[in-house]
Amino acid sequence: MATNLPDPPRPGSRRSRASRRLLSVTAAAMALATAALPSAAAGADEGSGNTLTVGVSQPVDSLSPFLAQRLISTSLFRLNYDFLTNYDPATNEPIPGLAESWETSDDGLTWTFQIRDDAQWSDGEPLTADDIAWTYTTMMEDDAAATANGNFVANFESATATDDTTLEIVLSEPQATMLALDIPIVPRHVWEDVEDFGEFNNDQDFPIVGSGPFTITGYEPNQSVTLEANDDYWRDPPQFDRVVFTTMPEQDAQVEALRSGEVSLISGLTPAQADALGNEDGITVNNATGKRFQAFTINPGAETQDGEAFGDGHPALQDRVLRQAIMRAIDKDEIVENVYGGYAEPAEGYIPARYPDYAWAPEGDQRLDFDVDAANDMLDDAGYEMGDDGVRTSPDGDRLELRFHVHNDRPDYVSIGQVLTERLAAIGIEIDNQTVDPGVLSDALHSGEYDLIMTGWSVNPDPDYVLGIHTCDALPEEPGTMRSDAYFCNEEYDELYAEQLAAYDDPRARAEIVKDMQAILYEEAVVNVLTYSNTLEAYRSDQISSIQVQPDPGGNIWGQDGHWSFTSATPAGAGAGAGSGPSTGVIAGVAAVVVVAVAGGAFYFWRRSKTSEDRE
């Protein structure tokens, strides 16, 4: 899915002063950050031969960091590749990664990163600033290489290695995400001969050369991915020698595999599964605050960046009054209780409450609270006449029968689809509930042939990415290619996006702008968040004696912004003191060597047809 990502408009003028203002990462701060990270040296020998097996529902979409967007793939990359900076496992604050320190010019346009000299690629070649500069430049110059993460470099003028340990990035306008560039760094000597970044999936030669704490050594499409510990990693090496991600599309199958000891860790549990597993010996359930939101988008009329209309979305959905009335007919508390069993929060703003600096909620008359009478009044006043069959007709004479595309592999989404079908009937909207394979849903999204569609995103500590997917630049250049999940384009929103990105030196001002952006999304009612569901996961405490959550306390294990869960995990029997990093207190059990059993069931695999629910 090649996507051209032109620079978004960014208001403001450059300042002329060239003096440099140090954004220091002092030796003391670095020592603190390093001390906060898991240390595995004490238990490495005792854990020899141990394998940590993870049951996952998604298959990998691509092993190319330039293309992949699914959570499973981006999580693998955090193990196989290093990043310029990382996120603290306890606080989610930026900490050194490949960059040991950094400074910026007074005008915020030039950033200079000092790159550590003790990192190397898994094939023994040194990792230098040139690898980082080449990765970023490739994304700047090649549309296909920008598919997954091009928004991070869209504002770059240049990325240059002035020597082996110095990286200089020059920006068109100041950019607040310079310490949150979630881009895996790839080895230039491996990748520079790739002829087509849009076609190269990086899945032919193993082990895959990387620089992270693990190395991808095996891949069976739709079945499993195997990673081996990188003993030469510049941080302390992991205590588990091996991590295997086993594809098990059915959640019930994952639960049974955990019970039998076939897998060590699973996530995405239903409330009933979490409650049942919490009462079983040898299993620990982790109930984490949600970093994902669950939502649905409304087709306001699919268009390309050039304004070419396509698809067959219901024309009445172009009316904001109708979209807002739909939101007023939905009881989010009902979804929290009946779908998630209380393991969720009703959502209003686009950013989960887990990130309090950016979280937003509407106030006063701005609120679109659950009120069926008010929703019906809105539609009456706007000329949507109720028919004898209980279904309204738009002022243009179009019957309000809407297709609702729902993932059939997500029990919670299936239940939400049923709730919305019932609730919208109360305001005269008939729902054709199309609970379908994710591939069918994705095809409908990219062709613009839907009315309502379920979605969900994981939100990183820096919200820029999930905000950027709703800029006008995220619209497709031509039908079938897009990096968003909604055909949303709003000039005021785009201006605010540029302003928040430029507010690199004023976090409070940036947070207020981000809240204003969420207000626009809420009012326009194209992108409609419903809940922030808790992350419910479980692991064998007789296989894993301790493991790091993020943030700490209350955070998740799977889908972290970093690799801390897998690099901190202490094999049972390795000793309580084996891992000296900050890990959650869990039940230590008897030693066990995990038997790796790969699920052989086939799962429909696609790369170019991805939905946002698949993405990080």
Side-chain angles (χ1 to χ4, degrees), residues 376 380 384-393 425-429:
N376 276 311
D380 289 341
Y384 291 85
E385 295 185 1
M386 185 72 77
D388 294 338
D389 60 354
V391 179
R392 291 181 182 270
T393 301
I427 62 170
I429 297 176

Side-chain angles (χ1 to χ4, degrees), residues 161-195:
T162 58
D163 57 46
D164 284 350
T165 59
T166 306
L167 172 73
E168 183 179 270
I169 298 176
V170 178
L171 306 173
S172 298
E173 297 290 343
Q175 180 168 324
T177 61
M178 293 305 291
L179 301 182
L181 299 176
D182 292 327
I183 301 170
I185 305 303
V186 302
R188 176 174 183 172
H189 67 279
V190 172
W191 283 81
E192 63 183 345
D193 293 330
V194 173
E195 295 181 357

Side-chain angles (χ1 to χ4, degrees), residues 43 68 132 169 223 236 257 292 322 345 500:
I132 307 172
I169 298 176
Q223 294 185 9
D236 288 334
R292 290 190 72 86
L322 173 58
E345 296 177 59
Q500 67 83 25

